[in-house]
Amino acid sequence: MATGLHAETVVGMLVVAAGAGLMALGAVRQGRAVRPPAPARAWAATRREQERVLRRAAVMAIASARAAAGPGEPVIVTVEDVLRLADEHLAHPDMDPRLAAAALRDAYERGACARDCVTDAYG
């Protein structure tokens, strides 16, 4: 008759204690773990992602408009082209047209488009 605790008993008590601790923590937090800890930070990350996608779509729209224009014709790029490419090729529907216009203006100015492009992003 040994008077000590067996290793299996100690491990079992530790598992039960850990489980009870996790359940108590869950009851105290009341599901707050699934909510974003900082809504402003989550919103800013979403906004950065949208701007990145729209910049890429604007560059793609300019490139496809240049490919479609004939020799000597102006390249016409619209905000709708940027939104369409963001939806069809980059799987981001329902983007803000104001952000798309800003991305197109940025790509227009960075890409030396003023010499051969026409856009409605400034309107």
Side-chain angles (χ1 to χ4, degrees), residues 20-88:
L22 287 174
M23 288 191 313
L25 181 65
V28 168
R29 293 194 52 95
Q30 297 176 355
R32 285 182 294 210
V34 297
R35 295 184 194 135
R41 194 168 52 221
W43 180 84
T46 301
R47 178 78 178 235
R48 283 192 307 271
E49 170 70 11
Q50 288 178 347
E51 289 171 350
R52 183 190 64 79
V53 166
L54 287 171
R55 279 193 308 268
R56 186 171 174 197
V59 170
M60 290 171 60
I62 290 171
S64 77
R66 279 191 169 146
E73 292 180 358
V75 177
I76 301 172
V77 186
T78 65
V79 174
E80 286 300 317
D81 294 337
V82 175
L83 293 171
R84 182 181 46 80
L85 284 171
D87 181 21
E88 293 175 2

